[in-house]
Amino acid sequence: MSGRLLRLVCTAAVAAQAALAPLPAAAAPEPRRPVNELLADLQKLYRKTEQATETYNATEEKLTKQRAEVKRLDGELVRARLALQESRSAAGRLARQQYQSSSDISPYVRLLLARDLQHALDERHVIGQLARERARTVGRLTNNEKRRGTLGRQARKALDAQLTLAQRQKKDRDDVRRRLARVEVMLASLTPTQLTELTRLEQNKTTDAQNKLVASGALGSERTPSQRGIAAVRYAEDQLGKPYQWGAEGPRSYDCSGLTSQAWDYAGTPIPRTSQEQWAQLPKVPLKDLRPGDLVIYFPEATHVAMYVGNGTVVQAPRPGGRIKLSPIASNPILGAVRPDKRLS
């Protein structure tokens, strides 16, 4: 049998087997999950992503400060090396002078044998000055040696800390990217109908939470903002419509704490970069005493922040995929509020 005929026979046999094989059973459609479960899962993913983002931001801020410290120490080390070089040169000159003027006769014997006593005394005075200068030079040399050694150790330690932070930053960045990918996968798996239902359900929950907060009287009456608070609010509202981006501090995009920190920096009151640090370091203020410019912190871990603008409303960079917008203050579970400027009343 020729090779061509053999191939035809084999092809026909395979085709026959395929035709006679039983068809696989159609895959059963996955049961449709309730929209409230989908919303809970999506919000959990968003929350974990934002928590990872704030961790990344904190590491980035520490790394920036550490780089500045390394640069400062490097500059001091250069100056210490130059000072050491100068003191070594001075010590060398003194050593040469001492060698060139050395004699087997003691200075005291030369003083006794001198014909001109006043000249000898003057010479002795000069010798004393040289001795004191030599002592000072040796002291500077010793101190500069010690300083260079100390700065060298500090610079190496600072550089090691910078490298450690850089590795942690990469880990934090990769964690954010993994979590963002999970959010994208979940959103891509949803149908347009599910997305519409999710949006409606989230809006209804926010409305219910807002109504309960207002009815409880927790917000109190409107208070007059400080001038810096007005400036911070104006800056934040000028960013409306810009996209959320993790780790971003403007001007084209922001994450939640990037927006609030930049707004207050613009107003002339620098504040910590992350929502956790803003919650930990800034003065707390009761919700009933809120005034425009105050920051509202959300979730038990302080992983989200927005700026109060009045009338029960905040401006915020909401989450990945969203844009800066005005929202009801109860759009997320409230942890508390802080006031960046010092005047509390």
Side-chain angles (χ1 to χ4, degrees), residues 205-226:
K205 286 191 172 185
T206 297
T207 300
D208 290 343
Q210 184 78 2
N211 290 338
K212 288 179 181 178
L213 183 65
V214 172
S216 71
L219 288 182
S221 58
E222 289 299 309
R223 293 179 175 268
T224 303
S226 65

Side-chain angles (χ1 to χ4, degrees), residues 16-260:
Q17 288 178 356
L20 295 174
L23 293 174
E30 293 184 5
R32 186 178 181 184
R33 295 180 61 198
V35 176
N36 60 342
E37 288 185 11
L38 292 173
L39 179 61
D41 286 350
L42 188 58
Q43 288 178 333
K44 183 178 179 180
L45 284 174
Y46 279 133
R47 182 176 169 185
K48 292 293 184 183
T49 301
E50 196 155 47
Q51 187 172 3
T53 298
E54 292 299 275
T55 300
Y56 169 86
N57 290 337
T59 305
E60 171 67 19
E61 187 173 25
K62 290 178 183 177
L63 183 57
T64 299
K65 292 178 180 177
Q66 192 61 44
R67 284 173 178 151
E69 177 66 5
V70 169
K71 185 176 180 180
R72 183 189 70 81
L73 286 171
D74 285 345
E76 284 200 24
L77 188 55
V78 169
R79 290 190 290 273
R81 284 171 176 162
L82 291 174
L84 179 59
Q85 184 178 353
E86 290 175 359
S87 60
R88 281 175 175 170
S89 298
R93 286 194 301 271
L94 283 177
R96 288 192 298 273
Q97 291 171 2
Q98 184 177 5
Y99 173 76
Q100 292 167 357
S101 63
S102 63
S103 171
D104 293 335
I105 302 176
S106 165
Y108 301 103
V109 175
R110 292 204 306 272
L111 178 63
L112 291 173
L113 297 177
R115 293 181 180 179
D116 186 343
L117 185 59
Q118 185 60 47
H119 177 73
L121 288 172
D122 292 342
E123 185 182 54
R124 177 59 186 154
H125 176 69
V126 172
I127 291 173
Q129 285 183 324
L130 290 174
R132 288 190 292 274
E133 177 60 28
R134 182 167 62 248
R136 287 194 293 268
T137 300
V138 171
R140 285 196 299 270
L141 177 61
T142 303
N143 291 335
N144 286 335
E145 286 274 11
K146 290 180 179 178
R147 183 166 180 265
R148 188 196 67 164
T150 300
L151 285 171
R153 288 189 294 273
Q154 290 176 346
R156 286 192 295 271
K157 185 177 179 181
L159 182 59
D160 289 342
Q162 177 179 316
L163 294 174
T164 299
L165 283 170
Q167 291 174 350
R168 189 192 307 172
Q169 182 198 36
K170 181 179 182 301
K171 178 180 176 296
D172 294 341
R173 181 197 64 199
D174 293 343
D175 187 20
V176 174
R177 287 177 174 174
R178 282 193 298 271
R179 295 184 183 280
L180 283 172
R182 291 171 189 165
V183 171
E184 291 170 356
V185 168
M186 182 175 180
L187 288 174
S189 69
L190 301 178
T191 66
T193 301
Q194 287 175 316
L195 288 172
T196 301
E197 291 176 351
L198 278 174
T199 301
R200 183 169 59 250
L201 179 60
E202 187 173 26
Q203 289 174 345
N204 290 341
K205 286 191 172 185
T206 297
T207 300
D208 290 343
Q210 184 78 2
N211 290 338
K212 288 179 181 178
L213 183 65
V214 172
S216 71
L219 288 182
S221 58
E222 289 299 309
R223 293 179 175 268
T224 303
S226 65
Q227 290 300 313
R228 292 191 176 187
I230 292 173
V233 169
R234 185 182 301 118
Y235 179 95
E237 291 184 334
D238 284 345
Q239 315 312 312
L240 288 171
K242 292 184 179 180
Y244 177 105
Q245 181 181 348
W246 66 272
E249 300 177 80
R252 294 184 177 85
S253 58
Y254 298 82
D255 61 20
C256 67
S257 58
L259 176 64
T260 55

Side-chain angles (χ1 to χ4, degrees), residues 318-335:
R319 61 192 180 194
R323 292 183 176 273
I324 296 174
K325 64 178 182 177
L326 297 173
S327 306
I329 189 175
S331 55
N332 291 296
I334 298 173
L335 174 61

